[in-house]
Amino acid sequence: MLTAEAKGVFPIAPTPFHPDGRVDEASIDRLIAAYLSAGATGLTVLGIMGEAAKLEPEESLAIARRFIRGMGALPVIVGVSAPGFAAMRALARTVMDEGAAGVMIAPPPALRTDEQITGYYRQAVEAIGADIPFVIQDYPLTLTVQMTPAVIRQIVTDNPSCVMLKHEDWPGLEKISTLRAFQAQGSLRPISILIGNGGLFLDFELERGVDGAMTGYAFPELLVDVVRLQQAGRRDEAHDLFDAHLPLLRYEQQPGVGLAVRKYVLMRRGIIASDSQRKPGAALSARAQAEVDYLLARLARIDRRALAKAA
Amino acid sequence: MLTAEAKGVFPIAPTPFHPDGRVDEASIDRLIAAYLSAGATGLTVLGIMGEAAKLEPEESLAIARRFIRGMGALPVIVGVSAPGFAAMRALARTVMDEGAAGVMIAPPPALRTDEQITGYYRQAVEAIGADIPFVIQDYPLTLTVQMTPAVIRQIVTDNPSCVMLKHEDWPGLEKISTLRAFQAQGSLRPISILIGNGGLFLDFELERGVDGAMTGYAFPELLVDVVRLQQAGRRDEAHDLFDAHLPLLRYEQQPGVGLAVRKYVLMRRGIIASDSQRKPGAALSARAQAEVDYLLARLARIDRRALAKAA
Amino acid sequence: MLTAEAKGVFPIAPTPFHPDGRVDEASIDRLIAAYLSAGATGLTVLGIMGEAAKLEPEESLAIARRFIRGMGALPVIVGVSAPGFAAMRALARTVMDEGAAGVMIAPPPALRTDEQITGYYRQAVEAIGADIPFVIQDYPLTLTVQMTPAVIRQIVTDNPSCVMLKHEDWPGLEKISTLRAFQAQGSLRPISILIGNGGLFLDFELERGVDGAMTGYAFPELLVDVVRLQQAGRRDEAHDLFDAHLPLLRYEQQPGVGLAVRKYVLMRRGIIASDSQRKPGAALSARAQAEVDYLLARLARIDRRALAKAA
Amino acid sequence: MLTAEAKGVFPIAPTPFHPDGRVDEASIDRLIAAYLSAGATGLTVLGIMGEAAKLEPEESLAIARRFIRGMGALPVIVGVSAPGFAAMRALARTVMDEGAAGVMIAPPPALRTDEQITGYYRQAVEAIGADIPFVIQDYPLTLTVQMTPAVIRQIVTDNPSCVMLKHEDWPGLEKISTLRAFQAQGSLRPISILIGNGGLFLDFELERGVDGAMTGYAFPELLVDVVRLQQAGRRDEAHDLFDAHLPLLRYEQQPGVGLAVRKYVLMRRGIIASDSQRKPGAALSARAQAEVDYLLARLARIDRRALAKAA
């Protein structure tokens, strides 16, 4: 079960498809191997970048099950955001029965006031049950919901089953400092904070006190290494490595296009067989592919793991 | 099958629940009887006001099936809006197999540009199949998507299976005139236009040339009568009757609260057994109930159908 | 100076223009005469419906001055919402020097969280000075900012110079009850609450405890009469009169189009010389004019003040 | 006068203030010197990052005049976005009289449909006059208005006085390619495209065919160098230099916080005397200042211009 002590890197897994749209199980297995090899401490599936909304219920369940089995003892978090609580409850209870460690809940875009947001999480917990550990997803850029530190604190206080924050506000550095100050003052109990937003500020977010990363950058080993170096106090080395990846990481962190970049790189690396997305989902243009290839070639001068394995 | 010749009144059916949250089939049957008795020419189920997002897939299907059976030969439209095309396709194909006459598709709130909107409908039709007649839902107040008359024309032109527009833009009178002018000029093929937005402008919308109403006002017979009177050229009578209902109709057309008012009146009328909503859904305060009672009592002076049957 | 004891009707004054776009001072004077004759207890100028954003600074000042002079001892509130605090301060200080009773401040659309909203009002008061009585405008439909009752209470508590709420949330009846309950409990000090939103719920809003109306319906005498009847406990008469006006009032309360309707009716009544708006601003179509004429004719059967004076 | 042949770098100038909020003319003069020394080919003032909304009209004019005088023969573009056309016209005509080369117009956030956007620009040009060259600002992240390439083409076609696009959509690479393809096909006349969005994709945007940059990164010489290197075909060198700056550039490109970072770096470089902003405007925390200092120190290892001049 997921706890507030969770640390390290929980990659956001994409859902690999065959060019005809079927789920590609063999690529799921290679993704699992890659995450384990990279040193991931957990995994998150069926998030926004997992194309969760494009899956039928049985597919979602089968994908979650395969990732859970594959990750063995490592905790797997399943995204259960849904337009209604009935569907959210059904998926949450089922994946927990299948061995998930916890679930992640994003607020629906219509929420505006502080009361609406805290009320939504209370109702969601009532729906899924207070026995399921859950993660708050705080991603205003995509979800359009803005949570202040005080609202996050209220959600955590209202719901003992909240154990983690996926922090991806932008800008977000001061928010981390504020939340950690709340904890230092004793007004917020301990929770795990993993960062997202493509990792664009991972370097400084770690210095602000987060516990790790939960994002889908196509080199999970970069995330693992930067977390490890920072935790070891090797600040300059952490920044050197991060900066080498930043041009590509920045290119991947483009709204809408990002998943196409990510899948293309994972395919170039030989980890997934195809970069296909289900509709609606734009493929990368030939021009963009060439740009990514150029970035990979430049990155490989410093980090040889960027040498593509595939044709 | 739904065609572009559809006319009259297609009430938006609520989904009746028991106080414990279970679907109330007996109330569904009474709703059907009330719609038939009122002179409805069709029905729409699983729309926003049908709490569609709060239902599990099997429930949605069972509800749609019961309404379809109950309405006999009259066409039933099923709302199939979903966050992903896989779920939309699954529901659409299934309800058509069950005898639905067509489906209604609302645009997802993130759509902004004209191209995004027309592109979305092309992809939706590709997903559900070009053999299923569908209805465009144009409701910016709730959906936040703004479609110009030219965009609606483009959707209709792109997709031969589009047979109806649920018009609920606000303001919307000029939009109707523009669409009908497109048709007079020959740049838009014939489609049925039924109005929504709670019927707040039904009086004049009929004079602007729409074919009827698709909304859930708790007195469907009022909608039927106003349509009938206007089509018979009895303009003043149509307005007299409409105006008598306007204070209540306006009270019902409040964002968020409207469904609670509607269910309360349907319960007061003895049509549904309980005004319960599934969460999240606010009950009517005692104060608001008293206001609705007062409006019903005032209405009953002119339209005796407003005399409540229930305690 | 405006105080928390303000009551009655503060019409929202439009800004009359000549067809060539110049400000029409003679029409301003007739508007003043009409408001005084109708029994207004105050006036609000340079609001959204006063086309404030289309005026140059000197024009705004001249218009405010003319209304202030014309209303004599009655309080005039001036809208000072502006994209920056420098312009807000300049206008606020100047109009107060000219004899305004207070100012009205709408929140900028970008505000989302409770903290952003309360912070904005603190900064606005710091900018204009704590000696100027001000009105909160709570109009989510147009401004997209959602303020909970708790946020309004916080603004009132933070800023002693806050004396009034322009309440135009929709739905808004429960909000009024909540605010008045705060006051009964002693957690919110007394403030005046005047309602807006075109007066669409004026009938019940008065019963929920508001002090009057601040809106621009083209028959300010209707607003005055309904307030007077309700305050005299003549509930049924208040509703009878309100309901007679509701078809027109509802027609006027259309986003975007509303001002054109309002100016057209004021012109038909002989109060302003032209219904011209500055750009961007749509004129009423011939079809819409005929609809308004029809509504006026119907209204005149019950309320003879609706007989048009002009050609 | 600004023409469609404009190229190079037009920095976005901040407005320097003294700590007490007064405009700091001496810092304006140093900014001008820095821009000239860096090789800027023009300048843009009174944009969003120029805190234009916080200035009083006379201040805006004085600032524009000082920058125009200081830049000598180089073209200065003045941001004239305003909530109403009267204010827009007044500022535009005045600054052109003072020697501005053109104006920049951002769409107001409420615009949604293609027609609304193209209609707005037609009305804006009618307001300011067709003799003033203008720049479209396409910045959805901040302005929330989404313009497709077809909409931009329509604006350019409708308005011969449109000479430039400030491109800052994100993602935006394909948009550039589409616009340049329109021109190759002959469906769009030549216009200058300068990129913004903090320069986050300047490296590839130049390769996609833009004419330069219009953004406010605190090292305008970096923008100039990258443009120059790319134009000289020295691709790898351009990327090497860009990548060295990317960690800082990324840090500066944070919504809301960005201006504070930018002003802090300009102050550290001795170009402006204070990093003060007018309210509302957040100062950089001590923690954030230390992070920027660290980034500057790291950058200085590669680009010695990052060695701070000031204490």
Side-chain angles (χ1 to χ4, degrees), chain A residues 153-165:
Chain A
R153 178 171 57 184
Q154 191 63 49
I155 297 169
V156 174
T157 302
D158 288 346
N159 305 289
S161 54
C162 179
V163 296
M164 185 185 281
L165 171 69

Side-chain angles (χ1 to χ4, degrees), chain C residues 53-54 56 83-86 90 123 126 279-280, chain D residues 53-54 56 83-86 90 123 126 279-280:
Chain C
K54 304 175 190 170
E56 301 208 42
F85 288 136
Q123 289 186 305
E126 199 179 324
K279 289 182 184 174
Chain D
K54 303 176 191 170
E56 301 207 43
F85 288 135
Q123 289 186 305
E126 199 179 324
K279 291 184 182 173

Side-chain angles (χ1 to χ4, degrees), chain A residues 209-221:
Chain A
V210 301
D211 299 296
M214 183 193 289
T215 187
Y217 179 54
F219 288 87
E221 50 270 61

Side-chain angles (χ1 to χ4, degrees), chain A residues 9-18 22-47 49-51 63-64 66-72 74 76 215-221 223-224 252 259 261-276 309:
Chain A
V9 175
F10 283 61
I12 296 282
T15 299
F17 296 106
H18 290 291
R22 284 176 303 117
V23 174
D24 176 357
E25 284 89 2
S27 288
I28 289 180
D29 295 342
R30 276 195 302 275
L31 275 169
I32 293 167
Y35 295 138
L36 293 172
S37 160
T41 56
L43 191 68
T44 301
V45 301
L46 302 183
M49 284 304 188
E51 300 177 64
I63 291 164
R66 194 170 195 98
F67 275 115
I68 292 167
R69 297 278 186 282
M71 293 299 286
L74 292 181
V76 174
T215 187
Y217 179 54
F219 288 87
E221 50 270 61
L223 306 175
V224 171
E252 194 186 283
L259 181 59
V261 177
R262 186 172 291 175
K263 283 193 156 184
Y264 176 75
V265 176
L266 288 170
M267 182 181 70
R268 281 286 314 268
R269 300 189 70 194
I271 298 174
I272 64 176
S274 163
D275 62 351
S276 301
K309 293 178 190 167

Side-chain angles (χ1 to χ4, degrees), chain B residues 284-295:
Chain B
L284 224 49
S285 71
R287 188 70 191 253
Q289 289 183 352
E291 289 167 345
V292 175
D293 292 346
Y294 180 68
L295 287 168

Side-chain angles (χ1 to χ4, degrees), chain B residues 260-274:
Chain B
V261 177
R262 185 171 291 174
K263 284 194 154 183
Y264 176 75
V265 176
L266 288 169
M267 182 182 70
R268 280 287 314 268
R269 299 188 70 195
I271 297 173
I272 63 175
S274 162

Side-chain angles (χ1 to χ4, degrees), chain B residues 156-173:
Chain B
V156 173
T157 302
D158 289 345
N159 304 288
S161 55
C162 178
V163 296
M164 185 184 283
L165 171 68
K166 180 168 197 237
H167 165 84
E168 33 195 353
D169 201 351
W170 178 53
L173 295 172

